Amino acid sequence: MRTRAVAMVGRDREVETLRRTLSRARAGQGATIFLVGEAGIGRSRLAAVAAQLAATAEMTLLRGRGSAIGPMVPFRSLSEALLSLTRATDLVPVDELGPYRPILGRLIPEWGAPAADPEAVSLVVLAEGVLRLTGLAGRDKGCLLVLDDLQHADAETLAVIEYLVDNVASQPTALVGTIRAESCPALDLAQAAAQRGDCLLIELDRLDESELRTLAGSCLGGGPEIVPDEVAAHLWANSAGNPFLAEELISGMIDTGLLIRVGDRWRVTGTLQTNVPAAFARRLAQRLDGLDPPERELLAVAAVLGRRFPLTVLQAVTGLDDRQLLRHLHGGLAAELVAPDDQTPDWYAFGHPLTVEALLGLLTPAERSRLALAAADAVATVHPGLPGEWCQLAALLRLDAGDRGGAGRLLAEAGERALHAGAADSAVRLLEQARDLVADDDTTRAGVLESLFYALVEAGLIERALASVGALDALGAGLDRRRRAALHTRLAWAANIAGRTADGLAQIDIARRLLGPDAPAQECAPVDVVAAHLLLDLPGPEQLVRAEQMARRAATVAERAPLPIVACQAWQLLGALARGRDPDEATACLERARSIAVEHRLPIWEIHSLVRLGNDDAVRDGDLDRLEQARQVAAGSGAVTAGYQAESSIALQVALRGDFAGAAAIVDPALAATTRLNLLETVEHLQLTRAIAAGHQGRRREMESVLAEVRRRGGNPAQQGPKVYGLARAFCALLEENRPRAHEELTRALAAEEENPSIFPLSGRYGLRLLLTAVDGPADPVGHRAAVAAPAARLRWNQQFGLFADAVIAGRAGDRPRAEAALAEALRAAQPYQMSRHLGLRLVGEAALADGWGEPVRWLRTAEEYFHGADVAAVASACRALLRRAGVPVTQRRDGADEIPATLRSAGVTVREYEILRLLIDRLGNREIADRLHLSPRTVEKHVARLIAKTGQPDRIALSELASATVPT
């Protein structure tokens, strides 16, 4: 007989904490609780109480537990928990998962095949999918995710859990995990999260003497008063407050007749002397002796299989038919020790790990080896090919039986499967175990080391991968030179992704030496493609030329071989390299990459090509249709990385169009997601877009703050320069009416390109610089004609400035018809780009006014209206000054009073004075302010004096400090 308490004892505070956590989750404030304690302390029982509370509140409930066969089955507990959603599809609007639905196919097979993109199925992306799924499952009512026995969880599951812990606070999700108090990665994770304040770690104490007596009373069907004193003392002395052991002691006393019920009371009939758990094992042995051999062997086989075990394998080992098997499981001792598993059909589970340990302790080594070998054979028979977790279970059983070689080969197979499924950390652990078990077989060990290398690379363990590939090179005979060269090439690509260019190039050198000078071209092509990508990060003007030569050679060979993935990589790189030199060629390269992907059924490479073609359309013509299409296709296929790359390109184009609110609506959520996903290149692009948007609004402080964050994160400064100087700071200077600074920034952009040629074609060399040179000089007709004839000048963003410059040059030469025609073409080219279009009108209007052609008054009025509405005071003021110079009446703009901070407004600061105060933040002199606002230095001096008087500041320096502290940017 097994006696359990009917009530939760000694956990009132913990239950109340769970209740409050669930309540907050229903309100959209998620949290994580880890329940930690020794075996038998009641972790799972407390988690069950949380599940009951969630069910009562009609929350969505998801439950899973650590692997039945140890820590080697990736995602077992998560899959178990999430599969319940497939039985109630109305709970979750799965269409709202977008690209994450196919990614979750790794955990929920019913949702289709997992996404094929290696980047898209990274653990962080998968974890984001789980986070979004639980958020949708808990919408309006809350979601509880319970994960039991995390001490058995695999590394991939723990990585997802850590991500959930870090990000669940804004979700309607409560996460409750249980962990045995023993050294394990799950406990390390929980303790680190608790130290950061990201979770609540509840360490379950043993019951005190009073609580233990209450527990005993509950077991006996009453309150603490019905427990005999000697029983209470015995429990306290022998269970040490562990609830499970106390319940086992009570069961033992009742089963042996030492504790009997007499009416409403319980009476002790003998001496209570017990040593737990030794006594538990002795009592179990005594009871096993009374069983018939089939039932005794059934329990022994079940224990060899583990705490949870499958009926199909149990039946195959014991030879019992269905009736015999179920009769033994549901009657006698087995019915007290095991029960059907509530999560997995056709599986049973022991009530406590101590039971399994006790049963195994009763077997001789020979008996245990015999049963383990029989169980391993039965697993292979029942599950041909050993799919899924059966491979790991068979390996453990063969190891238990002493078959180290057989176990090693099965673990190697399991490791390769885990690697193919994207569970790189589990693959590393499995393959390292396999390596140690097959140490005497060089050929098998070489294959294991090869797989281990790839697993280490996928797991991001570059240093260990270097050591692993070194061991392979030392082994030598196990792998031929081509396979070893492929390993070094793969490591070079991993080093490139990690930003370790020198390490990557070193691996390329090793690969080339292994292949030798006479290697076939198809073996060199993969090496050339990786080397070409690595060259992009090296300084020097010749690197782009070398990269293009290698990529073109690889593309030619790859198409002939064929090596379709290498061909796609090469043509896509060639498209990027050719865009600035020849946009038509760039498009042709990208179209070729896409056609190869379609021909060879490589959907992810097709999507990446589509993203690049969409970006090509946007840069050439300002057309965003194909980029939007790429974003939608990526979302439907689970290509998360490609999807965010498309969004990043769209955001930049939207910012260039002057729709800064629209750009922010794309950048802000995408930046938050890609930061969580650690997509570093896309994060950098989004941050630079945010800086460019700030610069195109004249918000220097905001722009510089974002650029400082870009520098802090690192990245590739050589590729950042053209955007930072030519597209962000130069325009910000123009919107501050600081043309000398704009020229300086463009000069820096060109110098950065000369030192480190860039594949970014919008640095200003073929665009803004042409217009500023035309307006401010010195004149360079030959240089201008050469620049506007360059293919990059045909890109629509660049083209508008070249045409504005043509208009200025023609007008200055007195060729009014050509000037006005050029301006009309410029305005058509600039039609999508509102800010730059009006900036062009402001600059051309100034030149036309000076040179006597066109309609400068109309153009300047249009520009003034736009910049006034955009709150770019310096340019609006410059337009008004030029209109006054033209002798036309100008409406005073004094409707900016509501933007003046209340403290300054109450001091009587006017709109004009506020404009000057804003410029004092940068400590500009009177002459510089006068130039910006098109006033006389004397007028500025008077306004500064009035500001000092109105604000009560002692001098100009204090006034500048006040401006920095009170004026918003």
Side-chain angles (χ1 to χ4, degrees), residues 6 36 71 148 165 184 260 323 338 555 577 607 638 657 679 756 765 874 893:
V6 298
V36 178
D148 267 319
V165 170
C184 63
I260 63 173
R323 290 188 61 185
V338 303
L577 291 168
I607 292 170
R657 290 174 176 226
L679 302 177
N756 298 295
R765 177 187 297 271
R893 298 287 193 179

Side-chain angles (χ1 to χ4, degrees), residues 953-968:
Q953 301 303 307
D955 52 35
R956 187 187 184 102
I957 294 176
L959 184 63
S960 297
E961 292 173 351
L962 174 69
S964 298
T966 59
V967 174

Side-chain angles (χ1 to χ4, degrees), residues 422-696:
D425 287 321
S426 286
V428 168
R429 183 168 51 253
L430 288 162
L431 291 165
E432 285 181 332
Q433 293 178 23
R435 175 198 59 195
D436 297 338
L437 292 172
V438 298
D440 297 332
D441 182 346
D442 281 353
T443 301
T444 302
R445 190 164 185 263
V448 172
L449 283 172
E450 182 181 20
S451 297
L452 176 59
F453 162 79
Y454 284 115
L456 289 167
V457 170
E458 290 300 324
L461 303 173
I462 305 301
E463 295 295 342
R464 291 176 61 188
L466 286 166
S468 174
V469 80
L472 265 174
D473 286 336
L475 194 61
L479 291 178
D480 63 34
R481 286 175 171 267
R482 288 176 300 174
R483 287 172 68 182
R484 288 162 61 196
L487 293 175
H488 287 285
T489 303
R490 180 66 183 86
L491 186 54
W493 182 254
N496 175 59
I497 296 299
R500 298 173 58 163
T501 304
D503 286 335
L505 290 171
Q507 294 304 311
I508 290 294
D509 288 341
I510 295 172
R512 292 197 191 282
R513 286 200 301 271
L514 285 167
L515 292 174
D518 300 323
Q522 64 266 27
E523 294 178 7
C524 296
V527 182
D528 285 340
V529 164
V530 177
H533 281 85
L534 287 163
L535 287 176
L536 294 182
D537 290 332
L538 292 183
E542 76 284 358
Q543 301 305 339
L544 292 188
V545 175
R546 291 179 58 201
E548 184 171 354
Q549 291 171 346
M550 287 184 182
R552 195 168 296 281
R553 183 168 65 230
T556 302
V557 173
E559 289 209 49
R560 187 172 62 241
L563 298 170
I565 291 179
V566 173
C568 288
Q569 289 176 306
W571 284 117
Q572 287 183 8
L573 180 57
L574 287 169
L577 291 168
R579 182 183 291 131
R581 179 185 69 246
D582 187 341
D584 293 335
E585 180 187 348
T587 301
C589 291
L590 296 174
E591 290 286 7
R592 183 62 189 144
R594 186 184 183 189
S595 67
I596 292 171
V598 171
E599 178 185 353
H600 292 276
R601 297 182 179 180
L602 300 171
I604 295 303
W605 287 103
E606 181 186 357
I607 292 170
H608 279 293
S609 297
L610 186 61
V611 171
R612 285 162 176 75
L613 281 166
N615 194 48
D616 192 54
D617 288 350
V619 172
R620 284 169 61 100
D621 305 315
D623 184 358
L624 300 183
D625 289 347
R626 189 143 51 170
L627 266 177
E628 290 288 358
Q629 178 192 357
R631 175 163 64 170
Q632 293 170 10
V633 172
S637 65
V640 169
T641 302
Y644 283 124
Q645 288 172 347
E647 287 197 358
S648 178
S649 295
I650 292 170
L652 175 60
Q653 293 299 320
V654 171
L656 295 182
R657 290 174 176 226
D659 182 3
F660 305 115
I666 299 172
V667 168
D668 293 348
L671 186 57
T674 51
T675 300
R676 289 199 303 267
L677 299 174
N678 206 33
L679 302 177
L680 300 182
E681 184 178 344
T682 309
V683 167
E684 178 183 305
H685 192 280
L686 287 165
Q687 286 183 313
L688 287 172
T689 296
R690 178 178 277 177
I692 289 166
H696 285 210

